[in-house]
Amino acid sequence: MALVASGVLGLNAQQADEEMLRSLYTASLTQGKSYEWLNYLSNQIGGRLSGSVQAQQAVDYTRKELEALGLDRVWLQPVMVPKWVRGTPEFAYIETEPGATTNVPICALGGSVATPGGGLKAPVVEVRGVEDLERLGREAIEGKIVFYNRPMDPTLINTFQSYSGCVDQRYSGAEEAAKYGAAGVIVRSMNLRQDDYPHTGSMSYGELSLSERIPAAAISTNGAELLSTTLALNPDIRFYFRQNCRQLPDVESYNVIGEIRGSESPEDIIVVGGHLDSWDLGDGSHDDGAGCVQSMEVLRLFKTVGYRPRRTLRVVLFMNEENGLRGGRKYAEEAREKNERHLFALESDAGGFTPRGFSFDCTDEEFAHIARWKPLFEPYLVHQFERGGSGADIGPLKSEGLVLAGLRPDSQRYFDYHHAENDTFEAVNKRELELGAATMASLVYLVDRYGTGPQPIIRGR
Amino acid sequence: MALVASGVLGLNAQQADEEMLRSLYTASLTQGKSYEWLNYLSNQIGGRLSGSVQAQQAVDYTRKELEALGLDRVWLQPVMVPKWVRGTPEFAYIETEPGATTNVPICALGGSVATPGGGLKAPVVEVRGVEDLERLGREAIEGKIVFYNRPMDPTLINTFQSYSGCVDQRYSGAEEAAKYGAAGVIVRSMNLRQDDYPHTGSMSYGELSLSERIPAAAISTNGAELLSTTLALNPDIRFYFRQNCRQLPDVESYNVIGEIRGSESPEDIIVVGGHLDSWDLGDGSHDDGAGCVQSMEVLRLFKTVGYRPRRTLRVVLFMNEENGLRGGRKYAEEAREKNERHLFALESDAGGFTPRGFSFDCTDEEFAHIARWKPLFEPYLVHQFERGGSGADIGPLKSEGLVLAGLRPDSQRYFDYHHAENDTFEAVNKRELELGAATMASLVYLVDRYGTGPQPIIRGR
């Protein structure tokens, strides 16, 4: 097997790589700290919506923990973030006739405006997506609540594809419906399961002026089925909802950054990261507490096994992925200003489940170089090396010569929890989380050692 | 790609196979019945220990459900099974000094004898395995409780390997300790997690006479850590436990069997199965309700997509895998008596988690033939095709010309639930269960179509 060897590297190098991966996995599974960190983030701090007290507590906590690792440098990168607050609990019901109501679980979408103080009650028009609005026309929509009810496609094996095929309803549904005079929108939760949890998430009003904006909420999948069935029996029912969320002025927050300076090529930077902010309904354990503690663990594992990276290895805990991406943009902006040379960036933002592989945003040549490492991961049942997206936070860094990658954990359960009240610590399995951290560390090790392209970048090897 | 094609089969066959797999997965994910069946088995019936009323209810229920599928034949195969009963809840404590006690969670191991009516209290000797007994000698063991505390190895990626490396303590621990005059044994639960659930499971006294048998119980992993720590502080502490389980005379039970008769080679038999019995602490959802409903689903999916198998396809729900394997032995015995020609047997008995692949017990030639189908499974993220064990129930069938296979789901969480009170319906994810059923159906389809060896067995193709 000449897997890793590229001419100059022989069997010894391959054995050394196999041993290093074994050490990283063993250290993560037996001396790992990721689960303990996640326990703190989830259970001592909780949901970390941008601009919240909890988000600041998470900044302080992770900075302190990174400092305790004895890295070469730990710092905070200031960034202004939006501050949206949910307010008091939302409330909604289906009214089949005056006085005959059934409560259904809803939650405001992130960025939505409030309903009028006394709530909003209106007839409902059910659609399968924004494309139905034009067909129905203004007369069918005006003054009504548009109910977006296209479910996630259960037949796609990668559940993120199902999500991509649906999330336009949540993101743009209010903007589009407002153009037809709708009074509000209710969106079926992005959830493959039937349950009672409404799932929040970001939405945008696009170019709509403040006065044109209409309130938008998610309804649980069970609630969506009930509403749809009720509408089929009687199209004249009315829906009521009340929410008093609002957008406050931007506030200062931070990306939390730590680095081990490269021993040979410190000017080459490798980034591992996740996002420290989360939605406010659960405690953001899978999204993305898991990705943060796994990223921190990558640096800690290198310390634990005694591997000193040749290039500079940086962990970045990005702020505000969920409703603004300000942290990711800020990091990329400063990197450009400082003319930093980023070689590789790996994000974990798909849950703390059993790692299945990676997705790479790179050239054919780079992918061919990286794909040769695949056999090294087979003992760890990590099989997927594919082309595709990486992570939202590292996206703004994108430039020639930089390989972007995303950890790909098993996706089957992800949308059971995503942006909902049940995204909690109990939903994360310790071993699965630790395997993910070791899988990330293994890839970072190989990139550090062999670069991301067929031409060695580091001199003197 | 000439993946499936073996000369005579060309692109059309490969496309047809791809389409068939797509149909099977889609049917399972959108019209599946496995989850509904499991809900009934778990929540309406519950734990199904051999010889129990619940085991008989499960026989009646699954027979009725198979009959409703319109198979060619459904029948019960009588088999005598052991009947062991747990009795009243077990109770245990650590006594650091008279009157100073701390309760710890234990459960009797399946097949264990009871303690004396008032319980058993004795000093404790902690060991890492049966090999420690000889080193310690009779004087250190006689009259004491032997505490087997070797944990499962967390560094093995396949958790079943960790289990194999530990389970001798549970299975043979009492037999071996009794030879040195021990009064009883306590075994650390086969669990990779720290929690408060004791995990039961089968044990054997080997050739020991009734009077030589000593009671054996499992202690939760947290309980084991507490006991070990307490012993390290003071080796003179005593441990108390009480259990009143007992072995009753064998009773008649049944394997539940249904079949679709092959349209071309009915004499060739393909078996899919799981075991219908379970332990009594939880409701046996992962072990092995999941395997039973997935096996039933294989036949139902063929009906749903309109595929008529060429060979005879049989679902077998085996009785008494957990504490006797009588069902598996009985099925094999009758198959031999009737001179039935079994071509392939596939068991699902490793939990209802995301399917990762299969393990095959077969010849090199057969494996090479089957491994060519691997690319067909890649769209479903099913990557592992490996040599190895299959399933306990189909093991007794083993003979030349028969390929045995086991479904290999993700194993990381399996031992969190295995044989414990928390192996319940809630621990099973609907999509993961359904993906497993479709993965099994896909392999069975390919075996039905192309056989298990390089030489086509079916004539006239």
Side-chain angles (χ1 to χ4, degrees):
Chain A
M1 288 200 302
L3 309 175
V4 168
S6 61
V8 290
L9 301 167
L11 192 61
N12 285 348
Q14 189 193 314
Q15 282 176 337
D17 293 338
E18 287 170 3
E19 281 166 25
M20 179 55 73
L21 264 63
R22 182 72 263 176
S23 299
L24 292 167
Y25 276 92
T26 296
S28 188
L29 288 165
T30 61
Q31 307 167 59
K33 206 165 173 186
S34 55
Y35 195 64
E36 183 186 326
W37 280 329
L38 186 64
N39 186 14
Y40 194 96
L41 275 180
S42 299
N43 290 324
Q44 299 303 314
I45 297 177
R48 301 169 296 280
L49 192 53
S50 289
S52 67
V53 170
Q54 292 93 328
Q56 185 56 42
Q57 288 175 323
V59 166
D60 296 339
Y61 171 68
T62 52
R63 175 196 198 165
K64 181 176 67 67
E65 290 299 311
L66 287 176
E67 282 170 348
L69 293 185
L71 306 182
D72 294 318
R73 195 178 156 218
V74 175
W75 71 99
L76 301 185
Q77 182 176 47
V79 54
M80 294 302 290
V81 298
K83 178 168 177 147
W84 176 85
V85 292
R86 186 170 300 281
T88 53
E90 302 86 341
F91 176 62
Y93 57 76
I94 299 167
E95 184 183 81
T96 48
E97 56 187 280
T101 61
T102 305
N103 296 352
V104 286
I106 66 153
C107 65
L109 292 181
S112 175
V113 296
T115 56
L120 169 67
K121 194 193 293 189
V124 180
V125 54
E126 178 176 342
V127 298
R128 302 284 288 183
V130 294
E131 59 285 356
D132 281 353
L133 301 177
E134 193 175 356
R135 184 178 54 74
L136 287 165
R138 186 172 193 90
E139 68 277 21
I141 294 168
E142 191 157 25
K144 293 190 181 156
I145 291 170
V146 171
F147 168 37
Y148 290 98
N149 194 29
R150 185 168 84 259
M152 287 175 74
D153 181 351
T155 70
L156 299 172
I157 306 301
N158 177 347
T159 61
F160 284 86
Q161 285 180 11
S162 315
Y163 180 67
S164 298
C166 260
V167 72
D168 66 306
Q169 300 175 100
R170 189 194 78 202
Y171 192 76
S172 309
E175 178 188 2
E176 296 304 319
K179 293 174 184 168
Y180 292 86
V185 307
I186 295 293
V187 183
R188 182 190 183 99
S189 286
M190 304 291 126
N191 179 3
L192 281 154
R193 208 160 61 159
Q194 288 303 129
D195 65 27
D196 297 316
Y197 297 108
H199 292 226
T200 192
S202 64
M203 54 86 66
S204 162
Y205 290 110
E207 303 297 314
L208 294 184
S209 67
L210 283 177
S211 65
E212 293 170 310
R213 299 180 182 184
I214 58 175
I219 186 170
S220 72
T221 47
N222 280 341
E225 289 297 306
L226 179 67
L227 178 55
S228 183
T229 307
T230 310
L231 277 170
L233 292 170
N234 179 4
D236 299 327
I237 60 150
R238 310 226 284 171
F239 191 86
Y240 170 88
F241 72 115
R242 189 183 65 209
Q243 59 192 28
N244 60 9
C245 45
R246 60 195 176 122
Q247 196 77 45
L248 301 176
D250 288 1
V251 296
E252 188 173 65
S253 186
Y254 305 94
N255 293 328
V256 182
I257 309 178
E259 76 177 23
I260 302 174
R261 192 169 158 81
S263 61
E264 294 182 19
S265 272
E267 68 278 15
D268 286 341
I269 299 168
I270 295 173
V271 164
V272 284
H275 63 84
L276 197 50
D277 67 307
S278 76
W279 286 104
D280 54 332
L281 297 176
D283 61 36
S285 285
H286 276 295
D287 188 12
D288 184 25
C292 289
V293 299
Q294 287 174 326
S295 298
M296 293 163 68
E297 186 76 329
V298 170
L299 279 70
R300 186 178 161 278
L301 289 176
F302 282 181
K303 292 262 180 193
T304 304
V305 305
Y307 179 76
R308 174 83 193 271
R310 299 170 181 200
R311 335 228 182 197
T312 292
L313 175 54
R314 218 176 250 181
V315 54
V316 185
L317 308 179
F318 296 94
M319 185 50 68
N320 186 232
E321 189 270 350
E322 293 295 3
N323 55 341
L325 207 64
R326 300 277 185 88
R329 292 209 183 97
K330 181 70 171 189
Y331 181 82
E333 184 186 307
E334 281 206 11
R336 279 198 197 96
E337 281 168 11
K338 293 182 180 164
N339 218 8
E340 289 181 336
R341 190 160 88 197
H342 281 75
L343 179 75
F344 182 69
L346 170 62
E347 180 154 4
S348 169
D349 183 20
F353 305 97
T354 299
R356 305 293 303 268
F358 303 98
S359 176
F360 296 94
D361 183 355
C362 62
T363 66
D364 291 347
E365 205 174 30
E366 287 158 345
F367 186 68
H369 172 79
I370 289 167
R372 285 180 307 155
W373 302 332
K374 221 179 134 177
L376 287 167
F377 287 87
E378 283 183 8
Y380 308 99
L381 306 182
V382 169
H383 301 96
Q384 287 175 259
F385 274 56
E386 62 190 26
R387 308 293 289 274
S390 53
D393 296 290
I394 58 176
L397 268 181
K398 190 172 165 109
S399 63
E400 209 179 318
L402 167 66
V403 171
L404 298 174
L407 181 70
R408 290 291 164 259
D410 194 279
S411 75
Q412 299 311 319
R413 285 173 284 142
Y414 188 65
F415 292 96
D416 295 357
Y417 308 112
H418 183 244
H419 297 180
E421 186 186 322
N422 60 338
D423 181 4
T424 57
F425 185 65
E426 294 67 36
V428 177
N429 176 277
K430 181 169 180 281
R431 283 180 63 83
E432 294 183 356
L433 181 75
E434 290 168 346
L435 287 169
T439 301
M440 293 172 71
S442 296
L443 181 63
V444 168
Y445 158 76
L446 290 164
V447 167
D448 182 61
R449 195 164 168 85
Y450 301 111
T452 53
Q455 300 307 318
I457 294 174
I458 288 188
R459 295 150 297 275
R461 263 198 294 143
Chain B
M1 289 198 303
L3 309 174
V4 169
S6 60
V8 291
L9 301 167
L11 192 61
N12 285 347
Q14 189 194 314
Q15 282 176 338
D17 292 339
E18 286 171 4
E19 281 166 24
M20 178 56 73
L21 264 62
R22 182 73 261 174
S23 300
L24 292 167
Y25 276 92
T26 296
S28 189
L29 287 165
T30 61
Q31 308 167 60
K33 207 166 173 186
S34 55
Y35 195 65
E36 183 185 326
W37 280 329
L38 186 64
N39 186 14
Y40 194 95
L41 275 180
S42 299
N43 291 324
Q44 299 302 314
I45 296 178
R48 302 169 296 281
L49 192 53
S50 289
S52 68
V53 170
Q54 291 94 327
Q56 184 56 42
Q57 289 174 323
V59 166
D60 295 340
Y61 171 68
T62 51
R63 175 196 197 164
K64 181 176 67 65
E65 290 298 310
L66 287 176
E67 281 169 348
L69 294 185
L71 306 182
D72 295 318
R73 195 176 158 221
V74 176
W75 71 101
L76 301 185
Q77 181 176 48
V79 54
M80 295 302 289
V81 297
K83 178 169 178 148
W84 177 85
V85 293
R86 184 170 300 280
T88 53
E90 302 86 340
F91 177 62
Y93 58 74
I94 299 167
E95 185 184 80
T96 47
E97 55 187 280
T101 62
T102 306
N103 295 352
V104 286
I106 66 152
C107 66
L109 292 181
S112 175
V113 296
T115 56
L120 169 67
K121 196 195 291 187
V124 180
V125 55
E126 178 176 341
V127 299
R128 301 284 290 184
V130 293
E131 59 284 356
D132 281 353
L133 301 178
E134 193 176 354
R135 184 178 53 74
L136 287 165
R138 180 172 266 272
E139 68 276 22
I141 295 169
E142 192 158 23
K144 293 191 182 156
I145 292 170
V146 170
F147 168 37
Y148 290 99
N149 194 29
R150 185 169 84 258
M152 288 175 73
D153 181 351
T155 70
L156 298 172
I157 306 302
N158 176 347
T159 62
F160 285 86
Q161 286 181 8
S162 315
Y163 181 65
S164 298
C166 261
V167 72
D168 65 307
Q169 300 175 99
R170 189 193 78 202
Y171 192 76
S172 309
E175 179 188 2
E176 297 304 320
K179 293 174 184 167
Y180 293 85
V185 307
I186 296 293
V187 183
R188 182 190 182 99
S189 286
M190 304 290 124
N191 180 3
L192 280 153
R193 210 160 57 160
Q194 288 303 129
D195 65 27
D196 296 316
Y197 297 107
H199 293 226
T200 191
S202 63
M203 54 84 67
S204 162
Y205 291 110
E207 302 297 315
L208 294 184
S209 68
L210 284 176
S211 65
E212 294 170 309
R213 299 181 182 183
I214 58 173
I219 186 169
S220 71
T221 46
N222 279 343
E225 288 297 307
L226 179 66
L227 178 54
S228 183
T229 306
T230 311
L231 277 170
L233 293 170
N234 178 4
D236 298 327
I237 60 149
R238 310 225 286 169
F239 192 85
Y240 169 89
F241 72 116
R242 189 181 67 210
Q243 58 192 29
N244 59 9
C245 45
R246 60 195 176 123
Q247 197 76 44
L248 301 175
D250 288 2
V251 298
E252 188 173 66
S253 186
Y254 306 93
N255 293 329
V256 181
I257 309 178
E259 76 177 24
I260 302 173
R261 193 170 159 78
S263 62
E264 293 180 20
S265 271
E267 68 279 13
D268 285 341
I269 299 169
I270 294 173
V271 164
V272 283
H275 62 85
L276 198 50
D277 67 306
S278 76
W279 285 105
D280 54 332
L281 297 178
D283 61 36
S285 284
H286 277 295
D287 186 14
D288 182 30
C292 289
V293 300
Q294 287 174 325
S295 298
M296 293 163 69
E297 185 76 329
V298 170
L299 278 71
R300 187 178 161 278
L301 289 175
F302 282 0
K303 291 263 181 194
T304 304
V305 306
Y307 180 75
R308 174 83 194 271
R310 299 169 181 199
R311 337 228 182 195
T312 293
L313 175 55
R314 218 176 249 180
V315 55
V316 185
L317 308 179
F318 296 93
M319 184 52 67
N320 186 229
E321 189 270 349
E322 294 293 3
N323 55 342
L325 207 64
R326 299 279 185 87
R329 293 207 183 98
K330 182 69 170 189
Y331 182 82
E333 183 187 308
E334 282 206 12
R336 281 197 195 95
E337 279 168 11
K338 293 182 179 163
N339 218 7
E340 289 180 337
R341 190 160 87 197
H342 281 76
L343 179 74
F344 182 70
L346 170 62
E347 180 154 3
S348 169
D349 184 19
F353 305 96
T354 299
R356 305 292 303 269
F358 302 99
S359 176
F360 296 95
D361 183 355
C362 63
T363 66
D364 291 347
E365 204 174 29
E366 288 158 345
F367 186 69
H369 173 79
I370 289 167
R372 285 180 307 155
W373 302 332
K374 222 179 133 177
L376 286 168
F377 287 87
E378 284 184 6
Y380 307 100
L381 307 182
V382 169
H383 300 97
Q384 289 175 259
F385 274 55
E386 62 190 24
R387 309 291 289 274
S390 54
D393 296 292
I394 59 176
L397 268 180
K398 189 172 166 108
S399 62
E400 210 179 317
L402 167 66
V403 171
L404 298 174
L407 181 70
R408 290 291 164 258
D410 193 280
S411 75
Q412 299 310 319
R413 285 172 286 143
Y414 188 63
F415 292 96
D416 295 357
Y417 307 112
H418 184 244
H419 297 179
E421 186 186 323
N422 60 337
D423 181 5
T424 58
F425 185 64
E426 293 67 36
V428 177
N429 177 277
K430 182 170 181 282
R431 284 180 63 82
E432 294 183 356
L433 182 75
E434 289 167 347
L435 287 170
T439 302
M440 293 172 71
S442 296
L443 181 64
V444 167
Y445 158 76
L446 291 164
V447 167
D448 182 61
R449 197 165 167 85
Y450 301 111
T452 53
Q455 301 306 318
I457 293 174
I458 288 188
R459 294 151 296 275
R461 264 199 292 142

